Amino acid sequence: MKILHTSDWHVGKVLKGHTRVEEHIAVLRDLVEIAQKERPDLVIVAGDLYDTAAPTPDSTRIVTRALTALRATGAEVVAIGGNHDNGPALDALRPWADAAGIALRGTVRETAAEHVLTGTTAGGEAWRLVALPFLSQRFAVRAVEMYELTASEAQQTYADHIGRLIGKLTEDFADRSAVNILTGHLTVVGAKMGGGERDAHTVLGYAVPASVFPSTAHYVALGHLHRTQQILGPCPIRYSGSPLAVDFGEEENTPSVTIVEVSATKPARPRSAPIRSATPLRTVRGTLPDLERFAERNNADASGWLRVYVREMPRAGLREEVQDLLPNALDVRIDPDMLPTRTSPTAAQRAGRSPSTLFADYLKVRGHDDEGVQDLFDEIYEEIPGGAS
């Protein structure tokens, strides 16, 4: 059988105040075209369909249309909730999803069987899929108790709970006459961060060892980390990565989806299919003359969205000067090397000094010694009732 594995769409993501609606439409159109070309038997979306638990109507429209278009290719489609998604809200869409032939699992349900999906490809290959949505630490304990898995061990670690939960859900994997697949939204110990994940749900107590996955699984399709990567473990384990760079920390990632060919008797063979319409993110450093030369050498549209570290002393209007040169600069910062060491005055040093003098000292400490800003402060302060007295 053939599987298309994708995750971490983050539809609704706003980058430094800039909407990415058109980017997501283009990227998901690419993904559907890949599915039309590859003709997978199964499409897996391993969580974080949305960037926020309260998606806008536009975001909901983009996601539901993409899932519908993937189903229209003839593939079975399974999508699970991630840590950015509102799991109960996804479950509320299940009547629509069921009618559309899409398996949507937003939260862990009371019956383990709801998370075990089965099917047979047109070529006669039987498959079995365990779909495990993201679980917080609190709900991992509840899930263990729901399935009557030694509730007395509720003080054990998150990894222990997830391991027992996966063990319960994959009991039928002992039968290897079908292709056994598991999808989850998890952090595996040793995996590389993509750069834009939510730390609170990625590190510390949320990492699980690869040993939680059974050796009887033919393929484990993961979401949560945005970098495409294979994980060493008892079975083939892979993150598909995000189909677009979510934040500037991910500018080195290659947006893609994963195509997997596997059978009950042959090992999984995954490969990446690039998403070519994803807008690149780049970081640029330099003085204003350096940035001017960069603008002359590079087509603005091809450069993608820019994060700029400008090597100039802070001053009023500097951001606007940079954005005049580079209209795609969404994030403009002073290069840290240009900032002086900050030493704030003590209370005794501030005593008896005028607000104007204190503000002037503040500007110097911030490396922002600008007469125009000082004059503006003085003008505004004088307009405050009693300010000049």
Side-chain angles (χ1 to χ4, degrees), residues 51 75 87 188 345:
D51 190 63
V188 177

Side-chain angles (χ1 to χ4, degrees), residues 293-349:
R293 286 190 289 271
F294 174 85
E296 292 171 351
R297 292 194 306 265
N298 293 271
N299 177 280
D301 292 334
S303 297
W305 303 122
L306 301 178
R307 174 174 59 181
V308 179
Y309 286 96
V310 58
R311 295 187 58 81
E312 302 279 348
M313 294 302 293
R315 65 174 184 273
L318 181 57
R319 175 187 297 275
E320 289 74 16
E321 290 182 56
V322 172
Q323 291 179 326
D324 284 343
L325 289 172
L326 302 169
N328 284 11
L330 298 183
D331 189 5
V332 180
R333 308 182 185 192
I334 301 297
D335 192 310
D337 292 341
M338 302 300 293
L339 296 175
T341 302
R342 298 176 182 176
T343 55
S344 300
T346 64
Q349 291 171 325

Side-chain angles (χ1 to χ4, degrees), residues 343-366:
T343 55
S344 300
T346 64
Q349 291 171 325
R350 293 195 300 268
R353 306 182 73 189
S354 70
S356 179
T357 303
L358 290 172
F359 187 69
D361 288 345
Y362 169 79
L363 290 179
K364 290 178 181 178
V365 168
R366 299 284 297 186

Side-chain angles (χ1 to χ4, degrees), residues 264-289:
T265 57
K266 295 180 181 178
R269 299 186 303 279
R271 55 185 167 85
S272 292
I275 299 290
R276 303 193 185 280
S277 66
T279 303
L281 305 183
R282 298 179 63 179
T283 296
V284 181
R285 298 174 184 267
T287 63
L288 280 176

Side-chain angles (χ1 to χ4, degrees), residues 47-91:
D48 280 356
L49 290 83
Y50 298 106
D51 190 63
T52 172
T56 65
D58 278 345
S59 295
T60 302
R61 190 177 302 110
I62 290 169
V63 166
T64 54
R65 285 181 176 178
L67 293 174
T68 302
L70 289 169
R71 181 70 181 99
T73 66
E76 299 289 337
V77 177
V78 178
I80 62 172
N83 61 304
H84 282 252
D85 297 316
N86 184 327
L90 287 181
D91 283 338

Side-chain angles (χ1 to χ4, degrees), residues 91-109:
D91 283 338
L93 287 174
R94 282 187 59 176
W96 161 81
D98 291 344
I102 297 164
L104 192 58
R105 299 293 182 268
T107 60
V108 174
R109 312 299 291 175

